[in-house]
Amino acid sequence: MQYLPLFARILGASTSTASPTNSGSGHGKWIVGQIVKTTSGLVQGHPASNATGVSEYLGIPYALPPVGSLRFQPPIKYHGHDTINGTNFNRVTDISKGYGCIQSNISSSDAHFPDDLIKSYGITEAGLRILVEETNPGIKFSEDCLSLNVWTKPEVGEKSKAVLVWVHGGSYVSGSSALSMYNGQFFAAQEDVVIVSINYRLTIFGFPGNPLSSPNLGLLDQRMAVEWVRDNIAAFGGDPSRITLFGESAGGISVDHYSYAWRHDPIVHALVPMSGLASSLGLRTKELGEELWFNASEAVGCGGQNTSVVEVYKCMMTKPAEDIVKGLVNTIDGPISLPYSPTVDNIIVFANYNGLPSATLPMVVGCTDFEGGLFRVFVPKGAPDGFWAHESQIQFVCPAAVRANISVQAGNPTWRYRYMGVFPNLILSTNPQSGAYHSGELPPLFDTVAQDLIASTPEEIAIGNYMRGAWAAFAKDPVHGLERYEDGWPRYSVDKPSLIRIGYENRTRANLVNGNYYDDGC
């Protein structure tokens, strides 16, 4: 069995009728859910379901639907004047339906997690729910998906709030801003920040390998979403001069790629790549991207590598999306690591990052204590002892160490963390224990841990509050905010106590060790 590819393949998880306004900056004037004027049109929101005073705006189109002649092409900005019903992720209107982007399989068993793996690993009821969520249950999908969501509370707190823009993960083949895990209402309510989450094209639609187009459409989508935030967030009470881009897994990789691709005009003012960096799992070459493109085209009857590229392209434009994705490579049990993912074009994604300058921005970078605790349960047992710990080290810990050092050497304020919390309602497996696994910090961070099976412990709640507060402090003041947060977060240094252990032994305050404490083998 080829263990490394198996590990790598997974990375890649009541309305108001108020008058329109251009600004949410006036305390006492903001009506929860009021209509907001944007470049996309007038957006009607509503009160968030479980966070008092938070206005929720869902499924706002930031780009034209990438359908018809726009399929497999770079995004084009959406400009509108009509009223957008932003009260549901899956609106049934003619103006962007807020769907999740078309996905392809994480594994061949996406529809049903295998019973043999459940029994073999002792996967818990809560764990099974978390694993199923990786395949986006109950979310509707469409090519018409380039939308974003905003949660804000302008009637209190700062008149112009710091903004956090979330980029979801999912191995670049799954995930959606509509996942309940990423709901931003609690973050916005508790930390006096504006939360934005975005969709971007996935799988072959976001990373096609089409010789006649950019191979990195999904990354271009992300950039256009950030441009929309810059141009419109002030109308929601946000501060366009304080935008932080944060993401996890494929989202973290995307944040890091963004810092290099748009280093001369980053728009954002701070970066938080979580459990994923440009150097984490290697890069898809142009040649491999084209091979996968022609494999897909041949599977749907559009010809292969020996057919005219123009004829293949014209044919692929006519095929239903669901037919195209049927023949795509599975991310886990296929032969290729991250088959549909950022591809070297030396414009947005570069063949060699050694010595390449990135945007000069403050950064928080880190990973979980045992990333492999998630990946392990997707494959039958059989790896040698220590394999998953080793792969966690090579694919996550060491890249974080390298990236933190690069950021420090560039003179950027830099912090490094390691998330270590383990709680009963988030345990994936018991044989062996899943530990603080890949993506395990996200429900506490967004305060979206399901409570119906097992209630959160007081320590879990406190650690979630602590982490959320830290991310908000950084967004509000990327240079000094963390130094002033709670007991103070020292800037990262290899040989000084500066690596922040969040949830160490489930303690409710961060614990410090030397920056290189976990970097054996790096």
Side-chain angles (χ1 to χ4, degrees):
M1 176 180 284
Q2 297 298 312
Y3 295 111
L4 177 57
L6 284 171
F7 181 86
R9 288 170 206 151
I10 307 174
L11 180 70
S14 156
T15 61
S16 166
T17 56
S19 299
T21 179
N22 280 313
S23 174
S25 61
H27 287 206
K29 297 179 181 179
W30 181 272
I31 300 174
V32 176
Q34 71 181 41
I35 292 176
V36 176
K37 185 178 180 180
T38 74
T39 54
S40 298
L42 304 175
V43 184
Q44 173 70 65
H46 67 165
S49 57
N50 293 299
T52 302
V54 173
S55 297
E56 182 175 67
Y57 300 86
L58 305 175
I60 306 170
Y62 65 83
L64 290 174
V67 299
S69 63
L70 298 184
R71 177 190 273 183
F72 302 128
Q73 291 299 320
I76 298 175
K77 286 185 178 181
Y78 181 94
H79 292 283
H81 301 285
D82 295 332
T83 299
I84 299 166
N85 177 8
T87 63
N88 193 292
F89 288 109
N90 299 325
R91 300 191 314 275
V92 284
T93 71
D94 292 331
I95 304 174
S96 185
K97 299 177 178 59
Y99 293 135
C101 292
I102 297 290
Q103 65 172 13
S104 58
N105 280 357
I106 287 283
S107 74
S108 58
S109 56
D110 279 2
H112 176 74
F113 202 81
D115 291 339
D116 59 335
L117 293 182
I118 294 173
K119 294 176 182 177
S120 174
Y121 285 105
I123 294 175
T124 66
E125 186 177 356
L128 183 60
R129 176 187 291 179
I130 292 166
L131 293 171
V132 170
E133 178 130 335
E134 295 289 324
T135 61
N136 314 314
I139 293 174
K140 297 179 180 179
F141 298 97
S142 170
E143 286 184 83
D144 179 2
C145 64
L146 298 185
S147 63
L148 52 79
N149 316 298
V150 179
W151 290 270
T152 186
K153 193 175 181 179
E155 65 271 23
V156 298
E158 285 192 273
K159 292 184 178 181
S160 188
K161 304 178 190 298
V163 183
L164 288 119
V165 179
W166 172 249
V167 185
H168 70 76
S171 304
Y172 291 107
V173 298
S174 69
S176 166
S177 67
L179 282 176
S180 60
M181 184 191 306
Y182 308 144
N183 191 294
Q185 61 179 305
F186 307 109
F187 210 140
Q190 297 167 24
E191 298 300 337
D192 195 33
V193 293
V194 177
I195 300 294
V196 179
S197 63
I198 68 174
N199 281 339
Y200 57 96
R201 279 174 285 182
L202 305 168
T203 192
I204 196 170
F205 297 97
F207 304 91
N210 171 19
L212 300 179
S213 179
S214 167
N216 294 305
L217 303 178
L219 300 185
L220 291 173
D221 295 342
Q222 294 170 11
R223 170 66 177 193
M224 187 163 287
V226 170
E227 291 173 352
W228 189 97
V229 173
R230 174 197 62 197
D231 296 341
N232 292 282
I233 206 63
F236 296 88
D239 183 353
S241 70
R242 290 189 296 166
I243 300 172
T244 294
L245 191 64
F246 75 130
E248 187 267 348
S249 192
I253 295 173
S254 296
V255 170
D256 200 23
H257 280 307
Y258 186 102
S259 72
Y260 289 95
W262 287 283
R263 60 185 179 273
H264 299 301
D265 179 26
I267 298 178
V268 303
H269 306 88
L271 305 165
V272 187
M274 304 166 61
S275 297
L277 293 158
S279 60
S280 289
L281 291 172
L283 298 169
R284 191 174 78 154
T285 64
K286 179 176 180 291
E287 292 73 22
L288 178 56
E290 291 184 359
E291 178 184 338
L292 291 169
W293 166 261
F294 286 118
N295 287 348
S297 66
E298 194 164 42
V300 293
C302 288
Q305 292 184 338
N306 295 324
T307 308
S308 161
V309 293
V310 173
E311 292 305 313
V312 168
Y313 174 65
K314 287 180 178 179
C315 180
M316 289 286 278
M317 297 288 280
T318 69
K319 296 296 181 179
E322 55 269 25
D323 289 350
I324 294 174
V325 298
K326 286 179 182 177
L328 300 184
V329 174
N330 292 332
T331 300
I332 295 175
D333 48 7
I336 300 164
S337 301
L338 288 181
Y340 309 99
S341 60
T343 305
V344 173
D345 59 5
N346 289 313
I347 299 172
I348 299 172
V349 176
F350 300 91
N352 187 354
Y353 284 86
N354 291 332
L356 186 69
S358 66
T360 54
L361 297 174
M363 173 180 284
V364 174
V365 60
C367 59
T368 69
D369 190 49
F370 182 39
E371 300 279 354
L374 170 66
F375 306 128
R376 178 174 58 195
V377 300
F378 281 92
V379 297
K381 288 185 176 180
D385 290 345
F387 170 78
W388 293 106
H390 174 75
E391 291 307 303
S392 296
Q393 189 78 0
I394 298 303
Q395 305 298 345
F396 295 95
V397 177
C398 293
V402 171
R403 190 66 179 92
N405 288 330
I406 289 172
S407 183
V408 168
Q409 291 165 11
N412 301 325
T414 305
W415 291 266
R416 185 178 169 198
Y417 74 91
R418 187 178 180 97
Y419 179 81
M420 307 182 76
V422 178
F423 307 108
N425 54 12
L426 292 176
I427 291 173
L428 289 183
S429 65
T430 60
N431 181 34
Q433 289 282 345
S434 48
Y437 54 86
H438 186 78
S439 78
E441 79 278 33
L442 299 184
L445 174 62
F446 282 92
D447 197 14
T448 54
V449 182
Q451 300 296 304
D452 56 330
L453 296 177
I454 304 172
S456 293
T457 66
E459 293 79 12
E460 181 179 7
I461 293 169
I463 290 167
N465 291 340
Y466 183 86
M467 191 175 187
R468 197 160 44 254
W471 267 227
F474 179 65
K476 292 174 183 179
D477 181 356
V479 177
H480 299 295
L482 285 173
E483 293 173 329
R484 299 166 179 163
Y485 180 64
E486 297 287 350
D487 302 324
W489 282 29
R491 294 188 184 186
Y492 177 70
S493 175
V494 170
D495 55 359
K496 296 179 181 179
S498 59
L499 190 150
I500 298 94
R501 300 194 291 189
I502 301 173
Y504 174 68
E505 296 180 340
N506 286 355
R507 299 179 190 177
T508 57
R509 284 290 188 270
N511 174 271
L512 296 176
V513 292
N514 280 1
N516 62 359
Y517 186 83
Y518 292 99
D519 295 347
D520 288 349
C522 296

